[in-house]
Amino acid sequence: EKFGTMADSESAGLLKGRSVRDARDQAYGTSARSKPTPASAFETVDWEFGAERDRLLREAMMKSRQMRHRSRSKWRRILAEMLNAGQGWFVFLVVGFFTGLLAGMIQVAREWAFDIKFGYCSEGGFWNSRKECCRISKDEDSCWQWRTWAETLQGIPGSGKRDNGYGLDYVFYMCWATLLGVWAAWLVRTFAPFASGSGIPEIKTILGGFVMKGYLGGRTLVIKSVALVLAIASGMSVGLEAAYVHIACCVANVSARMFSKY
């Protein structure tokens, strides 16, 4: 009886035009907008209950669509059904596109942040890495566009060589590496503790039915991406493959929230 009451509440919410998430939250006494406390940030999945809930939601959505389709033309009904059936493929397309875009941005940013420990590009833009700055040069030893920090302090024009001021360059290298590493650790510890680590064990746990609220959220996605660039640039032994898996899962979770089907 209690389960039937909750299902009726979901169906009523859907038929009134509310979203699936809002109807589910009211029926089961949870709210996606409420910030979870540390004690309630973890919960397990009841697969039988979830399967029955999804069946009731599909039936309620089908009834709602049938009621709306009565006032539509034949072609509008066909188009609406096609859009609903193609949401899954469109989500895959969005996730793949934004994951690839984010991976490319991380690659470009980490190359620049890694080279900033040695110097900067004086021509063509400060944001260019050494590789991009010296693209028009025959080799790196003849790249006058790149200036080391020692050459900058001594007022020497860029030569592309690294034989001027080894001591100053070493001091700047250590300062930049320490700064980038501390910055990455501070961002993770302050704003997104879930962004620490590779993320593979936690994702396996989530796939096994253990829910970790916030682990695949937008804040974790942003902080993980920025901290990954800073950590690699600082010289830490950090692998990209596992971090990209966590980032891709975050992109999928955030993207799926924009579609009523998920």
Side-chain angles (χ1 to χ4, degrees):
E1 181 180 355
K2 181 179 179 181
F3 190 83
T5 304
M6 291 188 293
D8 294 339
S9 178
E10 284 190 359
S11 302
L14 291 170
L15 294 178
K16 290 180 180 179
R18 290 179 297 176
S19 65
V20 175
R21 185 177 294 108
D22 293 338
R24 184 188 300 118
D25 293 342
Q26 182 179 3
Y28 297 98
T30 58
S31 176
R33 298 183 179 89
S34 60
K35 185 178 180 180
T37 59
S40 63
F42 306 96
E43 59 184 30
T44 56
V45 176
D46 188 342
W47 297 110
E48 295 182 0
F49 181 80
E52 185 65 19
R53 180 194 62 189
D54 292 340
R55 184 185 66 81
L56 294 173
L57 286 174
R58 286 196 299 268
E59 292 179 356
M61 292 179 64
M62 183 63 67
K63 293 179 181 179
S64 178
R65 285 197 299 267
Q66 290 176 356
M67 293 179 62
R68 292 195 303 266
H69 287 178
R70 293 175 182 175
S71 60
R72 295 179 178 178
S73 63
K74 177 181 178 181
W75 294 109
R76 291 185 62 185
R77 290 197 300 269
I78 295 176
L79 180 61
E81 292 294 338
M82 292 177 60
L83 292 176
N84 181 71
Q87 280 191 28
W89 294 102
F90 187 72
V91 170
F92 288 145
L93 178 63
V94 171
V95 172
F97 174 79
F98 282 104
T99 301
L101 178 64
L102 191 57
M105 294 172 61
I106 292 175
Q107 176 69 20
V108 174
R110 74 183 184 91
E111 288 182 358
W112 172 82
F114 185 85
D115 290 339
I116 201 66
K117 296 180 297 185
F118 302 97
Y120 69 97
C121 185
S122 59
E123 298 289 338
F126 179 82
W127 54 87
N128 287 325
S129 63
R130 182 180 178 87
K131 179 180 179 181
E132 293 296 328
C133 188
C134 302
R135 183 177 294 273
I136 61 176
S137 302
K138 296 181 180 179
D139 51 52
E140 292 186 356
D141 292 335
S142 61
C143 180
W144 58 268
Q145 297 93 337
W146 184 263
R147 297 187 67 183
T148 63
W149 296 113
E151 291 174 345
T152 302
L153 291 180
Q154 296 176 3
I156 304 175
S159 61
K161 299 181 179 180
R162 298 177 179 177
D163 55 356
N164 295 321
Y166 279 121
L168 286 176
D169 285 337
Y170 179 77
V171 171
F172 271 95
Y173 179 92
M174 294 300 297
C175 291
W176 275 111
T178 304
L179 176 62
L180 294 173
V182 171
W183 192 7
W186 177 79
L187 286 175
V188 173
R189 182 177 179 83
T190 304
F191 297 103
F194 282 150
S196 61
S198 65
I200 297 297
E202 290 81 1
I203 291 175
K204 289 182 177 179
T205 303
I206 293 174
L207 293 176
F210 195 81
V211 180
M212 304 175 64
K213 296 180 180 178
Y215 193 82
L216 302 178
R219 178 181 297 182
T220 303
L221 172 63
V222 174
I223 299 300
K224 181 88 171 186
S225 302
V226 176
L228 181 62
V229 172
L230 298 176
I232 294 177
S234 67
M236 296 183 185
S237 180
V238 180
L240 288 173
E241 294 78 7
Y244 279 155
V245 172
H246 188 189
I247 290 174
C249 292
C250 291
V251 172
N253 182 55
V254 173
S255 301
R257 296 177 184 174
M258 303 178 184
F259 298 87
S260 59
K261 190 174 182 179
Y262 301 98

